[in-house]
Amino acid sequence: MKSNDVILQTVANIVLFIILMFSVFLFFNGHHEPGGGFIGGLMTSSALVLLLLAYDLETVKRILPVDFKLVTAAGLLVAVGTGMGSFFFGAPFLSQTYDYFHFPVLGELELATALIFDVGVYLVVVGITLTIIQTIGEDR
């Protein structure tokens, strides 16, 4: 049975970008305030679940031809690699450092190695969540 939920699909297309922008805000805000890779990943996953609810699984797989198990693996590699990277500098596992960099449009920003770790966490959360949701959705 294929339904034609035009209103749901139209609203989902708009709300999807709002949720994704908020997810990016939470991701970058997480180093100094509540947020980070975990909650940013959950928000991104919720936006993609909204897309799955508005459209069917096959349509979303055509739009996003991504194997989320590989996204999870890439996130684990990034997160563990960040922790292991501190060994090259004689520091304990998951030690972090930061510095200030000047960007043409944004000005001076603080960048920390914790941000790279958060990218790994973000990818793991998105990958695991959507793998579980798609697996449940494929069961009929």
Side-chain angles (χ1 to χ4, degrees), residues 26 32 40 53 62 66 73 88-89 91 99 111 118-119 121 128 137:
L26 286 174
H32 299 289
L53 289 173
R62 268 196 322 266
V66 176
F88 292 116
F89 300 101
D99 202 357
L111 293 179
D118 273 346
V119 168
V121 172
I128 287 289

Side-chain angles (χ1 to χ4, degrees), residues 11-134:
V11 170
N13 290 337
I14 296 167
V15 172
L16 174 80
F17 289 107
I18 295 170
I19 294 173
L20 287 176
M21 289 298 107
F22 187 60
S23 169
V24 169
F25 168 75
L26 286 174
F27 174 78
F28 284 110
N29 195 42
H31 189 62
H32 299 289
E33 302 285 331
F38 185 78
I39 193 67
L42 284 178
M43 290 299 294
T44 299
S45 297
S46 68
L48 296 175
V49 167
L50 177 64
L51 206 59
L52 285 167
L53 289 173
Y55 298 93
D56 59 341
L57 188 60
E58 309 311 319
T59 304
V60 175
K61 280 188 175 183
R62 268 196 322 266
I63 295 170
L64 287 171
V66 176
D67 184 4
F68 288 104
K69 291 183 267 328
L70 295 176
V71 172
T72 303
L76 280 172
L77 283 174
V78 169
V80 172
T82 304
M84 301 290 280
S86 59
F87 291 151
F88 292 116
F89 300 101
F93 183 69
L94 280 178
S95 294
Q96 73 147 352
T97 186
Y98 67 94
D99 202 357
Y100 293 92
F101 298 92
H102 183 75
F103 293 95
V105 175
L106 303 173
E108 189 168 293
L109 294 176
E110 174 190 351
L111 293 179
T113 55
L115 184 67
I116 302 169
F117 177 77
D118 273 346
V119 168
V121 172
Y122 179 89
L123 292 174
V124 167
V125 170
V126 170
I128 287 289
T129 306
L130 288 171
T131 298
I132 292 170
I133 295 296
Q134 285 183 344

